[in-house]
Amino acid sequence: LSQHLWVFNWYSIERKMGRRPFKCYRQIKDKPYPKSRYCRGVPDPKIRIYDAGAKRTGVDVFPACVHLVSWEKENISSESLEAARIAANKYMVTKAGKEAFHLRVRVHPYHVLRINKMLSCAGADRLQTGMRGAFGKPYGLCARVSIGKILMSIRCKDVHSHLAEEALRRAKFKFPGRQKVVVSRNWGFTQFSREEYLHLKQAGRLLDDGIHVQLMNAHGPLEKRKAHHVFDGPTQIYRRCAV
């Protein structure tokens, strides 16, 4: 009797479907749909940490920088961003050490995905209305990226640059579409090339600002500047190539 009851309860349980494959949401279609007072009940993104490693290390310690660049215009889910962050961080911690790098996720999932849930139980055809009122409920979050958008960046020392490339190569497998691992010419996360950074640093035109630097130009009143911050020449010289 107990076996027959168990079989009866098994078939009477309402079976729930799993999550949709992300091929349903990969293509960018309509306008951005962010969380707002009109769009309520949005689930939290799976990725909550965007910086890992020695994130408070100064700008002069980590000169090398490697980027993971998107090569497609698509949506990237918050679940895949979290999986890529874990994969890259795990490899760098294992091979280089947790104080030898700074990893940063450069995109944030703000776009809300929707789903029009359909009933799959017995007698569902009497309850659901098909495509009438098919505007779905919030289902998840994703980031909208374009070609050339930087997804993740790792700054480290030059001796660990090849480890950062391998870490981002492993993180590629967590994303849909195509990505490329690019070694940056700039100093760390700054906007200056290595030669330009060293030249401006020697000239005293850079102020440390955490993991970035501020460029001091020749603008502004002189009475508000210190003696070693007064410059007589231009900050940067841009040369146009002859066509």
Side-chain angles (χ1 to χ4, degrees), residues 26 28 69-76 144-149 151 176-179:
R26 177 179 165 185
I28 294 180
V69 182
S70 173
W71 222 243
E72 283 192 24
K73 182 180 180 182
E74 60 181 352
N75 290 328
I76 292 181
R144 294 157 65 101
V145 301
S146 57
I147 297 175
K149 178 68 177 178
L151 302 179
R178 294 175 295 173
Q179 294 81 31

Side-chain angles (χ1 to χ4, degrees), residues 116-188:
N116 182 24
K117 289 186 178 179
M118 308 289 283
L119 299 176
S120 60
C121 56
D125 54 340
R126 296 177 179 270
L127 300 176
Q128 62 192 14
T129 57
M131 290 302 292
R132 180 185 300 173
F135 194 88
K137 300 291 181 62
Y139 176 66
L141 289 168
C142 72
R144 294 157 65 101
V145 301
S146 57
I147 297 175
K149 178 68 177 178
I150 299 176
L151 302 179
M152 301 172 63
S153 299
I154 297 179
R155 65 186 182 108
C156 57
K157 296 182 179 179
D158 290 329
V159 293
H160 297 142
S161 178
H162 66 286
L163 297 177
E165 295 180 38
E166 175 62 19
L168 294 182
R169 188 195 69 85
R170 296 186 175 210
K172 282 200 307 181
F173 297 112
K174 309 299 180 182
F175 294 124
R178 294 175 295 173
Q179 294 81 31
K180 289 191 177 182
V181 177
V182 179
V183 179
S184 177
R185 299 175 183 173
N186 295 348
W187 183 286

Side-chain angles (χ1 to χ4, degrees), residues 24-25 27 29 31 38 62 71 84 87 109 135 162 164 176 187 215 225:
C24 304
Y25 298 103
Q27 182 181 0
K29 294 181 179 179
K31 297 178 181 179
Y38 310 107
F62 294 149
W71 222 243
F135 194 88
H162 66 286
W187 183 286
L215 177 63
R225 289 178 175 267

Side-chain angles (χ1 to χ4, degrees), residues 18 33-34 40 53 63 67 86 90 105 132 166 176 190 219 234 236 241:
Y33 188 58
R40 299 180 297 272
H67 300 301
I86 292 175
K90 183 69 174 179
V105 180
R132 180 185 300 173
E166 175 62 19
T190 66
H219 294 258
Q236 293 172 298
C241 299

